[in-house]
Amino acid sequence: MKVDGTHYRSLWWDADKGALQIIDQRWLPHDFRVQSVTTMEDFAAAIVEMRVRGAPLIGATAAYGMALAMAQDPSDANMDAAWTYLNATRPTAINLRWALDRCRAALRPLPPADRAAAALTLAHEIADEDVEINRNIGLNGLELIKQIAAEKPAGEPVRLLTHCNAGWIATVDWGTATSPMYHAHDAGIALHVWVDETRPRNQGALTSWELGSHGIPHTYITDNAGGHLMQHGQVDMVITGTDRTTRRGDVCNKIGTYLKALAAKDNGVPFYVALPSPTIDWTVTDGVAEIPIEERDARETTHIQGRTEAGEIGVVQVTPDGTPGGNPAFDVTPNHLVTGLITERGVCEASAAGLAQLFPEMTKAAE
């Protein structure tokens, strides 16, 4: 997508520098900074510190990390060491392990002399595939928005609510939950998006930055406002992303997603999840019992970063001294609260049967 009129992906390979370039998202939405990632330590820090974030983007970043490892030392031992090192960076988003497993499976049979070039080519492929997956999620989600728009009074926008940032900067391009919004806006459908702030990291600000750059009308709201808006008929559809989805359609996403799903169910508001297939964990059935939930630094809850009136980016403490903070980063929404899953292959119900209908080969391989 575009930043100040220039097209960017959230990561890209700079052949002249021989290094991966990323948008350092710690500084958004106030400052746009690009960073070269040149060491394995850089790759790990980029993922852990959320310089890159979002399940698809983490996976693509890890693939380039494996490429760097093979350029440094293409041995089996180093391949396994890189897999272990990168896989430990974040526990919840399944795309990380998916990308690492894919790289290792493709590279292991090759002679060591061929691995560096093959690994870089594969990283490019994973990045390009992510762009196409998300583009198609957008096209399939567009059909749902069209159906809602057709039933609205003339001139009234389709009102969407989203949680966290499942936008183009959480993927390589297009985003998951935002992709249908971009397609609908570009098709001339009037939209208004309610953007949850998404504490504690306020990632809704990233969504607002994206939507504003694309000209999509939106309002930034507190996390606790969504249920109120639904009660008063001001939300036509909720659409979120996901970091890991079970084979039966339980959805793990940013903390607070479950509460939005409960409010949507209570008020008859359709709740859709934009789901790239690499985010499905075919080895897990019960999301609440089986998906590991990352517990992040308590400082993320006790302190907040923003821009001062003087224009400086700074951090302030919002709690009393000595107050401990708890910071589970994700929660799980059971499949019975999910109206449907928007995938690159179409829309299905959130169930084992629904996913099997769209992805029969993956279902069979997991059995």
Side-chain angles (χ1 to χ4, degrees), residues 124-169:
H124 294 334
E125 290 176 0
I126 288 173
D128 290 342
E129 287 172 10
D130 184 65
V131 175
E132 188 62 12
I133 284 172
N134 295 322
R135 187 184 72 85
N136 283 314
I137 286 174
L139 292 173
N140 292 325
L142 170 62
E143 296 307 311
L144 298 173
I145 294 174
K146 283 181 176 179
Q147 293 170 19
I148 296 173
E151 299 175 359
K152 303 282 288 186
E156 185 175 310
V158 176
R159 296 162 299 187
L160 307 174
L161 184 144
T162 191
H163 188 71
C164 196
N165 171 257
W168 71 265
I169 54 173

Side-chain angles (χ1 to χ4, degrees), residues 23-72:
I23 299 170
D24 188 344
Q25 298 185 30
R26 296 172 300 172
W27 302 100
L28 292 175
H30 305 300
D31 194 8
F32 183 79
R33 302 186 186 183
V34 174
Q35 176 193 354
S36 291
V37 186
T38 58
T39 68
M40 292 302 292
E41 292 75 18
D42 284 345
F43 273 97
I47 297 171
V48 171
E49 297 173 5
M50 297 179 72
R51 303 176 196 179
V52 296
R53 35 149 300 280
L57 183 57
I58 290 171
T61 302
Y64 280 102
M66 287 293 284
L68 174 63
M70 291 298 91
Q72 294 175 335

Side-chain angles (χ1 to χ4, degrees), residues 28-347:
L28 292 175
H30 305 300
D31 194 8
F32 183 79
R33 302 186 186 183
V34 174
Q35 176 193 354
S36 291
V37 186
T38 58
T39 68
M40 292 302 292
E41 292 75 18
D42 284 345
F43 273 97
I47 297 171
V48 171
E49 297 173 5
M50 297 179 72
R51 303 176 196 179
V52 296
R53 35 149 300 280
L57 183 57
I58 290 171
T61 302
Y64 280 102
M66 287 293 284
L68 174 63
M70 291 298 91
Q72 294 175 335
D73 174 4
S75 67
D76 286 354
N78 193 51
M79 185 189 306
D80 291 338
W83 188 101
T84 301
Y85 182 63
L86 292 170
N87 188 57
T89 52
R90 296 198 66 187
T92 300
I94 193 61
N95 297 60
L96 173 63
R97 193 183 73 201
W98 168 85
L100 293 172
D101 284 347
R102 179 173 170 181
C103 290
R104 187 161 64 174
L107 298 173
R108 181 80 79 189
L110 300 179
D114 296 340
R115 287 175 177 173
L120 184 57
T121 296
L122 180 56
H124 294 334
E125 290 176 0
I126 288 173
D128 290 342
E129 287 172 10
D130 184 65
V131 175
E132 188 62 12
I133 284 172
N134 295 322
R135 187 184 72 85
N136 283 314
I137 286 174
L139 292 173
N140 292 325
L142 170 62
E143 296 307 311
L144 298 173
I145 294 174
K146 283 181 176 179
Q147 293 170 19
I148 296 173
E151 299 175 359
K152 303 282 288 186
E156 185 175 310
V158 176
R159 296 162 299 187
L160 307 174
L161 184 144
T162 191
H163 188 71
C164 196
N165 171 257
W168 71 265
I169 54 173
T171 67
V172 179
D173 208 346
W174 283 104
T176 55
T178 58
S179 187
M181 301 175 191
Y182 292 132
H183 282 285
H185 176 78
D186 293 348
I189 298 174
L191 298 179
H192 185 274
V193 183
W194 301 108
V195 180
D196 281 353
E197 62 179 341
T198 318
R199 284 278 292 149
R201 294 185 64 94
N202 287 17
Q203 288 152 293
L206 304 181
T207 303
S208 293
W209 176 74
E210 284 194 32
L211 297 178
S213 297
H214 205 78
I216 297 176
H218 62 282
T219 302
Y220 185 84
I221 60 172
T222 65
D223 286 344
N224 294 329
H228 166 78
L229 294 173
M230 294 182 210
Q231 284 181 326
H232 289 271
Q234 296 184 59
V235 179
D236 298 308
M237 182 172 80
V238 180
I239 178 170
T240 74
T242 174
D243 290 83
R244 187 186 301 209
T245 298
T246 71
R247 63 186 298 164
R248 74 177 183 189
D250 297 337
V251 175
C252 182
N253 193 50
K254 184 58 62 179
I255 192 75
T257 303
Y258 174 48
L259 296 179
K260 295 301 180 298
L262 287 171
K265 187 74 169 181
D266 191 50
N267 290 281
V269 175
F271 183 96
Y272 283 92
V273 174
L275 172 64
S277 59
T279 311
I280 304 170
D281 188 345
W282 297 98
T283 70
V284 170
T285 301
D286 185 337
V288 174
E290 298 178 70
I291 295 177
I293 300 299
E294 178 182 5
E295 184 77 23
R296 291 188 59 80
D297 187 350
R299 183 178 171 86
E300 291 182 351
T301 67
T302 60
H303 293 69
I304 191 168
Q305 176 176 291
R307 186 168 60 192
T308 69
E309 291 184 354
E312 299 175 348
I313 298 175
V315 176
V316 298
Q317 182 175 318
V318 295
T319 56
D321 290 341
T323 297
N327 192 14
F330 301 91
D331 59 25
V332 174
T333 300
N335 64 354
H336 66 87
L337 296 176
V338 179
T339 305
L341 303 172
I342 309 169
T343 81
E344 69 267 28
R345 294 188 182 180
V347 181

